[in-house]
Amino acid sequence: RIAPFIAESRQETDGQCLIVVPTLNKARRLQSDLSFFNGDEPVYILPPEEDSAIEYEAKSNDYLLERMRVLKAATKGERCTIIAPVMEAIRKLPPKEIFTENVIELKRGEDIDVSELLERLSRMGYERVAMVEARGEYSIRGGIIDIFTPEGEDPYRIELFDTEIDSIRSFELESQRSIENLKSLTIYQCSQIARDPEVFAKASGRIRRAYDRNIRKAEEPERRDALTKRRDQLLEYTDNMINLQYLEKFLGYFYDETAYIWDYLEAPQIVIDDPSRILETIDASVKERNYEIEGLLESGRGIKEDFAELSGEDDFFGIYKLAEERNIDCTIFTPFVMTIRGGRDTAESPYLTELRQVQTRQMPQYDGHMDQLRADIEGYIARGFDVRIICSTEERKNNMLEFVEHEHFNERVLPGRFEAGHVSVESGVITAGMELTDQKICYIWEGDIFGGSRKSRRRPKSSRSGSPIKSFADVQKGDYVVHESHGIGQFTGIEQLVVQGMKRDFLKVEYAGTDMLYIPVDQLDSLQKYIGGEGITPKLNKLSGNEWKATKAKAQAAVSDMAHELIRVANIRRSKGGYAFAEDTVWQKEFEDSFPYTETEDQLRCASEIKEDMEKPYPMDRLLCGDVGFGKTEVAARAMFKCVIEGKQAAVLVPTTILANQHYYTLKERFEKFPVRVEMLSRFRTAAQQKEIVKEIARGEIDLVIGTHRLLSSDVKFQDLGLLVIDEEQRFGVRHKEKIKQLRENVDVLTLSATPIPRTLH
């Protein structure tokens, strides 16, 4: 709802703008609305890095490259708006000089030193591959250099004539056809840490000294061994300048000074949205992070120095001080009159240019009731409001124009805009309609009028099984593979051998020791690509011996035990019977239509199948599988709504407090238009609050509760539990899983997972 105010301000202001918001979801909605209200100006979101990745080696490459794209726009001084969820806004970054100094300028007709160019690309974080397929990669074949930059929509091809750049052009990745000839190309940094030998040598020294101090202080041999192993792992990465994404977590070892996103911007206009909610988010994130760090320190998988650069509340308060020191415009939007923590009272604070209490009201859902819409528009006109109806398509825009004309709202028509007294019909997309009380402007979104039209509906296609792998093109040299008879090996390439007087191609797979396995290419179906935890190097099997047979036997036994247990629990649940939910109501449709994005075909299919199961007379037991960010929560929310709208309770069980907090705010926002009470039961609630919530659950006053293993405590009694949603069940311990079994015997169960058991078994 703050988008119109920010857009108005941006039209009067030059330069860059940084908007700090509580959550990533809020950032996405604001980006969508700003694109409507402030048309041409680029709006970026600073994407998140997962703090849970502190312990692991791999992170999302897509998010990393998107961060590079944002940092490039910032350092170039591009006029743009950057929206940053608060935990990303206060995250420490390398010094700005890393991005301003590591830039390559190439021009057609100039001479280059190819060796020097390749060395600089490697230093800037690009990975050399045989053929470019993704952003952050480059390849060289004779006099052709391909490179895919983080911000590029397409890769670039540089052709050399000896040492002279003969041509620069963009090309299509799949067809390899040229798109556009270019006179020059600017290449920017591709990682947050540059492969600078001096910087890495300094980091190695600091890591060694810090860990050696802690190793000497450790009293238990097990702790000393764990710290030594951890030290050697980090030194392997720094000495060889590898695993840059992981090392970004340890900036304090690399740089004497770090920076924030606002340090990359030139005198930015700063906007802070809902500071009280921002501080809640910081508090929840820091508590959960400290809980995880405590476990790492206790187990010897880290030392305090590793986490010295992690940010918190003080870093956020630094924004106010920055505004004063650099004389930067800083505007705070808040729904409440308040005192700004971290500064003085708002009336006296030297840090703030403006504090705006936003008076807005979200528009009602008309769901096709045009008589109600007509009455509201007439009321707005009588009060002197400018009413703007926003439509996403020309067809819908023309329909609304006919409605406005039929109701005699129109008085005149101006080019490019349909005026009807105080009513206009405009093209665009916003996430929801809103009334700006002080400005006397009302935006009515077509989705509010027709229900769900903010996105195009798509019918799910009939599911089809995927095609079998018919070539080895998707496995590259160095990849780990699994042979059905011999176990895990490493693919080293294709080799031509003479067998019985004939030349044949063989896949060469290296095993433990000096063992080699040659597989005819026509038997490639005996191999599978190894699937395991990202960043983990598997142990190679030996061709001789029974190691692989024993591994398979153990896996088969575990699968058999698991299958027996699943069947036993399923039989118990089927024999006891369950509650059969009714078919979808009008409210269900209204809830689903209020989702502000276009569902994928898989989302629609899964939601439909889950609701069908809920309508059967025995308990549902389903696994909803999908990677992070693919929309599992929305599918689950539709099942929860179906449950609570019939007067039953729903519970969401999650493994961590931070996840409970995220789900709580997401679902609370999703259900806010409906008479559904949402609560959270976790460590973020005081003992007194938890006690009261438990009582309200027992009395049936809470419809939907999100919680950690605290939900499994003996004092938690549901009045009428109808649906249990379990997120990442494999992360719960054995004792908790036993409690879950008892809880799920006669209720519908939906399990969400990005890493389900089948993947682990594979």
Side-chain angles (χ1 to χ4, degrees):
R1 302 179 193 179
I2 66 173
F5 304 101
I6 296 175
E8 179 185 1
S9 173
R10 292 299 295 151
Q11 290 166 6
E12 301 170 355
T13 309
D14 293 326
Q16 299 172 314
C17 177
L18 173 66
I19 306 174
V20 182
V21 297
T23 64
L24 180 60
N25 283 338
K26 183 67 178 288
R28 287 170 175 160
R29 292 198 302 274
L30 183 56
Q31 181 189 43
S32 176
D33 287 343
L34 279 177
S35 298
F36 169 76
F37 288 106
N38 201 20
D40 298 333
E41 181 173 308
V43 181
Y44 301 106
I45 293 178
L46 187 64
E49 290 185 37
E50 294 183 10
D51 277 335
S52 60
I54 289 171
E55 192 177 350
Y56 305 104
E57 282 72 13
K59 296 185 294 185
S60 167
N61 200 46
D62 290 340
Y63 275 161
L64 170 69
L65 295 178
E66 182 60 27
R67 290 178 74 84
M68 296 302 100
R69 186 178 185 178
V70 175
L71 295 180
K72 172 202 165 185
T75 52
K76 278 181 63 182
E78 174 186 333
R79 176 180 168 82
C80 63
T81 294
I82 296 175
I83 307 174
V86 64
M87 294 310 295
E88 307 315 312
I90 64 176
R91 190 182 299 277
K92 306 288 180 60
L93 297 170
K96 182 179 179 181
E97 293 73 27
I98 298 298
F99 293 87
T100 55
E101 294 174 359
N102 289 302
V103 179
I104 299 175
E105 298 278 358
L106 300 176
K107 295 181 180 179
R108 194 170 62 201
E110 73 176 4
D111 285 316
I112 63 169
D113 184 327
V114 176
S115 298
E116 181 184 345
L117 173 62
L118 301 185
E119 182 181 340
R120 291 189 66 188
L121 288 173
S122 176
R123 179 188 180 114
M124 291 163 62
Y126 289 86
E127 299 295 335
R128 183 169 179 173
V129 295
M131 179 174 287
V132 167
E133 294 181 344
R135 289 178 175 83
E137 296 179 345
Y138 76 95
S139 68
I140 179 168
R141 303 184 306 283
I144 297 176
I145 302 172
D146 291 344
I147 182 167
F148 206 162
T149 60
E151 77 286 353
E153 293 298 323
D154 299 287
Y156 301 99
R157 177 161 291 162
I158 303 155
E159 290 197 28
L160 303 177
F161 182 76
D162 194 16
T163 60
E164 180 184 326
I165 298 178
D166 188 51
S167 69
I168 303 173
R169 60 182 186 268
S170 56
F171 67 93
E172 290 181 354
L173 198 58
E174 299 207 1
S175 68
Q176 299 287 300
R177 292 178 179 173
S178 297
I179 299 174
E180 180 184 7
N181 287 312
L182 306 170
K183 292 181 179 179
S184 62
L185 175 64
T186 304
I187 303 170
Y188 290 87
Q189 182 80 8
C190 189
S191 68
Q192 293 186 165
I193 297 179
R195 286 192 177 97
D196 185 328
E198 291 185 12
V199 171
F200 271 77
K202 181 190 295 184
S204 292
R206 288 174 171 174
I207 290 170
R208 186 179 297 278
R209 289 191 294 274
Y211 269 83
D212 286 350
R213 284 196 302 269
N214 283 272
I215 291 170
R216 287 194 296 270
K217 293 178 182 177
E219 297 179 357
E220 304 86 357
E222 294 82 3
R223 181 172 178 77
R224 286 197 296 272
D225 291 343
L227 289 174
T228 301
K229 182 179 179 181
R230 179 68 172 158
R231 178 200 65 189
D232 294 344
Q233 180 192 45
L234 292 176
L235 290 177
E236 178 188 356
Y237 296 159
T238 53
D239 292 344
N240 295 292
M241 293 194 291
I242 59 174
N243 221 342
L244 299 190
Q245 289 188 52
Y246 185 49
L247 293 177
E248 290 166 7
K249 291 292 181 185
F250 306 94
L251 290 181
Y253 291 126
F254 288 84
Y255 304 108
D256 296 328
E257 295 183 2
T258 54
Y260 301 99
I261 180 60
W262 54 79
D263 294 317
Y264 283 66
L265 302 168
E266 292 296 331
Q269 174 189 6
I270 293 178
V271 176
I272 298 172
D273 177 36
D274 199 349
S276 60
R277 175 78 184 277
I278 281 175
L279 291 174
E280 284 182 19
T281 302
I282 295 175
D283 185 52
S285 299
V286 170
K287 281 181 179 177
E288 180 63 25
R289 187 180 68 200
N290 290 345
Y291 182 73
E292 292 186 3
I293 290 174
E294 185 180 331
L296 294 175
L297 296 177
E298 287 179 359
S299 62
R301 290 175 290 167
I303 58 177
K304 288 183 178 179
E305 290 88 335
D306 290 348
F307 312 111
E309 292 299 316
L310 296 180
S311 303
E313 195 176 76
D314 290 342
D315 299 274
F316 171 68
F317 292 149
I319 297 177
Y320 302 140
K321 188 175 182 182
L322 167 84
E324 178 191 21
E325 292 176 347
R326 291 168 56 182
N327 194 27
I328 291 173
D329 287 345
C330 181
T331 303
I332 289 181
F333 287 94
T334 174
F336 310 106
V337 177
M338 56 178 292
T339 297
I340 303 299
R341 283 174 55 195
R344 304 177 188 175
D345 289 350
T346 52
E348 304 174 0
S349 176
Y351 305 154
L352 307 178
T353 305
E354 185 178 10
L355 174 68
R356 300 190 68 167
Q357 184 182 5
V358 183
Q359 296 290 339
T360 65
R361 186 175 72 87
Q362 187 160 327
M363 296 301 297
Q365 295 279 326
Y366 295 101
D367 290 324
H369 297 295
M370 305 306 284
D371 52 344
Q372 183 182 346
L373 174 64
R374 182 191 310 113
D376 282 357
I377 291 177
E378 290 173 347
Y380 279 120
I381 291 174
R383 291 159 56 197
F385 271 70
D386 182 7
V387 179
R388 302 176 185 178
I389 302 174
I390 313 301
C391 299
S392 61
T393 65
E394 282 299 316
E395 180 183 3
R396 186 55 59 78
K397 181 177 175 181
N398 290 333
N399 290 341
M400 289 310 303
L401 174 61
E402 289 179 11
F403 167 75
V404 170
E405 290 176 342
H406 180 266
E407 298 300 330
H408 304 291
F409 295 136
N410 286 350
E411 292 181 1
R412 56 198 175 98
V413 178
L414 296 179
R417 179 171 175 177
F418 301 95
E419 289 280 346
H422 294 284
V423 181
S424 62
V425 182
E426 303 176 14
S427 297
V429 175
I430 56 177
T431 56
M434 66 189 82
E435 173 194 308
L436 310 182
T437 310
D438 294 339
Q439 286 71 24
K440 290 200 169 184
I441 299 174
C442 170
Y443 294 93
I444 303 178
W445 167 233
E446 64 174 35
D448 301 328
I449 300 173
F450 300 104
S453 60
R454 70 187 61 191
K455 56 192 185 293
S456 57
R457 288 284 181 181
R458 292 185 289 185
R459 276 196 171 289
K461 298 178 183 177
S462 58
S463 59
R464 298 178 296 177
S465 58
S467 302
I469 298 174
K470 297 192 180 292
S471 76
F472 213 72
D474 61 336
V475 182
Q476 299 180 1
K477 186 176 180 179
D479 284 349
Y480 291 94
V481 294
V482 183
H483 189 276
E484 57 186 8
S485 302
H486 303 291
I488 300 173
Q490 189 172 26
F491 174 61
T492 59
I494 297 178
E495 193 166 315
Q496 198 173 68
L497 301 176
V498 178
V499 179
Q500 295 179 346
M502 295 179 62
K503 289 184 178 179
R504 295 180 62 186
D505 289 331
F506 289 81
L507 309 172
K508 186 179 179 182
V509 182
E510 180 180 336
Y511 281 80
T514 58
D515 293 347
M516 290 287 178
L517 181 66
Y518 293 90
I519 304 165
V521 291
D522 58 359
Q523 297 179 20
L524 61 86
D525 58 350
S526 64
L527 281 180
Q528 294 183 30
K529 194 170 181 179
Y530 173 81
I531 298 176
E534 293 182 0
I536 296 175
T537 302
K539 177 187 175 185
L540 300 183
N541 292 122
K542 291 184 178 181
L543 282 179
S544 58
N546 296 318
E547 181 184 17
W548 178 241
K549 289 181 181 179
T551 300
K552 288 203 296 183
K554 285 174 64 178
Q556 287 169 349
V559 171
S560 179
D561 290 343
M562 186 182 302
H564 281 297
E565 178 63 15
L566 288 172
I567 292 169
R568 186 189 70 80
V569 173
N571 282 336
I572 293 174
R573 286 162 56 81
R574 183 67 66 96
S575 63
K576 285 188 175 182
Y579 179 80
F581 288 91
E583 293 183 359
D584 286 358
T585 62
V586 175
W587 278 40
Q588 182 79 30
K589 183 180 184 304
E590 185 175 337
F591 176 78
E592 295 180 5
D593 286 345
S594 67
F595 184 54
Y597 306 103
T598 301
E599 305 95 331
T600 66
E601 292 166 358
D602 285 337
Q603 276 183 304
L604 291 173
R605 174 180 57 80
C606 289
S608 176
E609 291 176 359
I610 289 167
K611 290 187 293 182
E612 285 178 12
D613 268 10
M614 293 176 69
E615 293 168 11
K616 293 176 181 176
Y618 48 82
M620 173 181 72
D621 200 348
R622 273 191 175 265
L623 165 68
L624 183 63
C625 174
D627 268 336
V628 175
F630 275 59
K632 297 189 298 293
T633 304
E634 172 59 23
V635 175
R638 297 181 181 196
M640 297 175 210
F641 188 85
K642 188 177 183 69
C643 172
V644 300
I645 211 66
E646 289 200 26
K648 284 186 166 288
Q649 294 169 294
V652 183
L653 184 62
V654 298
T656 65
T657 311
I658 191 67
L659 195 55
N661 201 58
Q662 290 171 358
H663 277 322
Y664 171 66
Y665 281 116
T666 299
L667 293 173
K668 190 175 178 64
E669 194 168 1
R670 188 70 179 88
F671 284 85
E672 66 180 353
K673 299 177 185 176
F674 303 91
V676 176
R677 185 175 172 197
V678 183
E679 255 304 345
M680 177 175 65
L681 191 60
S682 73
R683 289 189 295 111
F684 288 164
R685 295 286 189 253
T686 65
Q689 288 173 329
Q690 290 186 35
K691 188 175 180 180
E692 183 59 30
I693 290 170
V694 168
K695 289 180 180 178
E696 291 173 333
I697 291 173
R699 294 196 297 261
E701 296 172 6
I702 294 175
D703 302 296
L704 171 61
V705 60
I706 300 100
T708 58
H709 58 272
R710 177 68 178 85
L711 275 179
L712 303 174
S713 303
S714 57
D715 62 332
V716 178
K717 306 291 184 185
F718 289 89
Q719 186 189 65
D720 189 8
L721 182 63
L723 175 66
L724 174 63
V725 179
I726 308 172
D727 198 359
E728 300 294 350
E729 184 177 7
Q730 74 278 4
R731 293 178 64 182
F732 287 96
V734 175
R735 180 169 57 86
H736 296 143
K737 286 185 177 179
E738 289 301 317
K739 293 284 291 184
I740 293 172
K741 281 182 187 177
Q742 298 170 19
L743 193 61
R744 69 193 296 172
E745 279 195 354
N746 62 346
V747 300
D748 286 352
V749 176
L750 177 62
T751 302
L752 315 181
S753 183
T755 53
I757 289 169
R759 174 177 172 182
T760 308
L761 290 177
H762 196 119

